[in-house]
C-alpha cells in the first residue's frame, strides 16, 4: 500500500536517499531502521467540505497525498475517521499506525495504476490459495480444529453467494469452479474503487477472500476473523507456548489493520453525511 506520508502543502519534505544507500550494521548486514515518525507540527485538526469531497486541515494547511494531490475523501464519516487518526498523534506522528490515512492515499494516488477490473481479479485470485480452503491431515487434533472452525464459514459463504467452494488437503488446494469465481467477480463489481482498495487490504491481512467477505458482510467479528486466519498458529501456541510479547504484538497489529480495512470499506460505501463535525471546538 501507498505509505501514509501525507503532508500539508508548503511543508518541506525530506530529501530522497541516495541510490543504493542503506544503513549498514556489523558484518555488513542491513541495520534495523525504525518505522517512519515525524515530530508533530500542528495543533488542531479539522475537516471541511470542498468541491471534490471532504478535506483534512492541519491548522490552516490542507493535507496532501504523497503525490501532492489534495487529500479529499468521498464521505464525511471517513473524513472524521482520518482526522481522528491525525488528532490522536502525540509528540511524534507515527505514520505506521495510520491505516485509514494510508488507504486513502492509495485510493487517491493509485500508485500501481490498476483499474477496477484488475482490483477485482486480484481479490478473486486469493480464492485459489484461501486460508480456510487448505486443510491438514496431521496432526488429527489440528485437522479436527480446522473442520470445526472453518467449515461453518465456508458453508455460510456457499449459501450466501450460492456457490461451491469446498476444501482440500492437497498441496494444490481445492478446485474452485469457474462459476464461483464469476459470482465473486460480479459481487465485488458492486463496490466502488475506494471500497475495493479496502477489501483487497483486508484480504491481504487475512489471506482469505472468504473470511474477508464474511467480515465485511458482518457475519463474523474482527476478532473472530483474525482468530480463524491464525488458527494453525494459535494451535501451535497452545501446544508449545507463547513467545514473550511477539505473538501478542502480531495479534494486536493484525486486528488493528483488519479493523481499519473493514471500517474503510463501510465508510467508503456510506453516502450520508454526519451533521456535527468532530475535532472542532
Amino acid at each position: 500500500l501507498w505509505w501514509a506520508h501525507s503532508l500539508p502543502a508548503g511543508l518541506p519534505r525530506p530529501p530522497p536517499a541516495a541510490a543504493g544507500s542503506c544503513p549498514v550494521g556489523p558484518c555488513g548486514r542491513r541495520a534495523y531502521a525504525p518505522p517512519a515518525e515525524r515530530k508533530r507540527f500542528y495543533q488542531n485538526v479539522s475537516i471541511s467540505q470542498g468541491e471534490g469531497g471532504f478535506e483534512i486541515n492541519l491548522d490552516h494547511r490542507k493535507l496532501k497525498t504523497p503525490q501532492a494531490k489534495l487529500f479529499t475523501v468521498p464521505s464525511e464519516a471517513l473524513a472524521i475517521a482520518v482526522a481522528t487518526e491525525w488528532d490522536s498523534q502525540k509528540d511524534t506522528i507515527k505514520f505506521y499506525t495510520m491505516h485509514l490515512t494510508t488507504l486513502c492515499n492509495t485510493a487517491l494516488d493509485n500508485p500501481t495504476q490498476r483499474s477496477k477490473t484488475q482490483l477485482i481479479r486480484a481479490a478473486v485470485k486469493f480464492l485459489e490459495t484461501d486460508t480456510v480452503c487448505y486443510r491438514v491431515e496431521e496432526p488429527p487434533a489440528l485437522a479436527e480444529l480446522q473442520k470445526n472452525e472453518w467449515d461453518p464459514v465456508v458453508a455460510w459463504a456457499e449459501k450466501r453467494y450460492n456457490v461451491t467452494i469446498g476444501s482440500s488437503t492437497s498441496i494444490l488446494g481445492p478446485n474452485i469452479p469457474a462459476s464461483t469465481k464469476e459470482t465473486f467477480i460480479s459481487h465485488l463489481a458492486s463496490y466502488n474503487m475506494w471500497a475495493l482498495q479496502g477489501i483487497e487490504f483486508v484480504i491481504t491481512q487475512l489471506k482469505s477472500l472468504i473470511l474477508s467477505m464474511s467480515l465485511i458482510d458482518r457475519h463474523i467479528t474482527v476478532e473472530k476473523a483474525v482468530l480463524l486466519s491464525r488458527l494453525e498458529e494459535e494451535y501451535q501456541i497452545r501446544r508449545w507456548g507463547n513467545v514473550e510479547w511477539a505473538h501478542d504484538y502480531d495479534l494486536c497489529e493484525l486486528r488493528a489493520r483488519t479493523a481499519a480495512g473493514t471500517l474503510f470499506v463501510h465508510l467508503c460505501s456510506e453516502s450520508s453525511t454526519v451533521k456535527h463535525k468532530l475535532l472542532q471546538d
Side-chain angles (χ1 to χ4, degrees):
L1 280 175
W2 207 217
W3 187 235
H5 290 75
S6 304
L7 288 175
L11 283 181
R13 296 174 182 268
S21 65
C22 65
V24 178
C27 305
R29 295 177 181 174
R30 183 187 296 269
Y32 170 74
E37 294 186 10
R38 183 184 296 274
K39 182 178 174 62
R40 177 164 172 160
F41 53 84
Y42 54 91
Q43 294 295 321
N44 301 307
V45 184
S46 63
I47 65 173
S48 57
Q49 187 169 10
E51 293 183 2
F54 295 89
E55 303 163 359
I56 311 298
N57 307 301
L58 305 180
D59 292 334
H60 300 294
R61 302 173 184 269
K62 292 191 179 297
L63 198 60
K64 297 278 188 174
T65 72
Q67 291 185 4
K69 296 178 182 176
L70 182 63
F71 191 101
T72 307
V73 300
S75 75
E76 186 174 13
L78 179 57
I80 290 174
V82 171
T84 301
E85 282 190 333
W86 286 88
D87 193 54
S88 66
Q89 302 301 305
K90 304 303 181 184
D91 294 335
T92 59
I93 307 168
K94 296 177 170 58
F95 292 108
Y96 54 90
T97 67
M98 304 170 71
H99 304 304
L100 293 174
T101 300
T102 302
L103 283 162
C104 290
N105 282 332
T106 304
L108 287 165
D109 285 347
N110 191 14
T112 56
Q113 295 300 303
R114 288 186 296 170
S115 65
K116 182 173 183 178
T117 299
Q118 289 173 315
L119 280 172
I120 293 171
R121 294 285 181 183
V124 173
K125 190 171 179 59
F126 269 88
L127 266 178
E128 300 171 4
T129 56
D130 200 289
T131 294
V132 301
C133 293
Y134 274 83
R135 309 296 174 86
V136 300
E137 294 179 321
E138 298 289 341
L142 178 56
E144 184 69 16
L145 183 64
Q146 290 178 341
K147 176 179 174 60
N148 292 340
E149 296 293 336
W150 285 347
D151 277 4
V153 181
V154 174
W156 171 86
E158 289 180 330
K159 182 178 180 181
R160 163 73 174 84
Y161 300 105
N162 191 26
V163 295
T164 300
I165 298 172
S167 61
S168 174
T169 58
S170 168
I171 193 172
L172 299 177
N175 183 19
I176 305 293
S179 59
T180 296
K181 296 179 182 179
E182 290 302 320
T183 296
F184 276 108
I185 288 172
S186 296
H187 176 73
L188 291 172
S190 66
Y191 290 92
N192 60 43
M193 279 284 289
W194 281 64
L196 285 172
Q197 296 279 6
I199 290 172
E200 186 185 39
F201 181 72
V202 175
I203 293 173
T204 302
Q205 306 312 309
L206 301 177
K207 306 297 187 291
S208 171
L209 172 63
I210 297 170
L211 288 177
S212 298
M213 298 316 300
S214 300
L215 174 58
I216 290 166
D217 280 358
R218 297 182 174 90
H219 175 64
I220 57 178
T221 64
V222 169
E223 290 78 11
K224 183 69 171 179
V226 168
L227 178 62
L228 291 177
S229 74
R230 290 166 44 99
L231 199 62
E232 183 172 356
E233 183 175 355
E234 294 298 325
Y235 169 82
Q236 298 295 348
I237 289 173
R238 288 199 298 269
R239 185 177 182 184
W240 301 108
N242 198 2
V243 175
E244 187 177 0
W245 75 263
H247 286 119
D248 291 339
Y249 176 82
D250 289 344
L251 179 60
C252 289
E253 276 292 291
L254 182 55
R255 283 178 178 169
R257 292 192 298 268
T258 302
T262 304
L263 178 62
F264 183 81
V265 173
H266 290 158
L267 294 182
C268 290
S269 304
E270 176 61 58
S271 59
S272 62
T273 59
V274 179
K275 295 301 182 183
H276 300 287
K277 295 180 178 61
L278 303 180
L279 308 173
Q280 295 182 6
D281 295 331

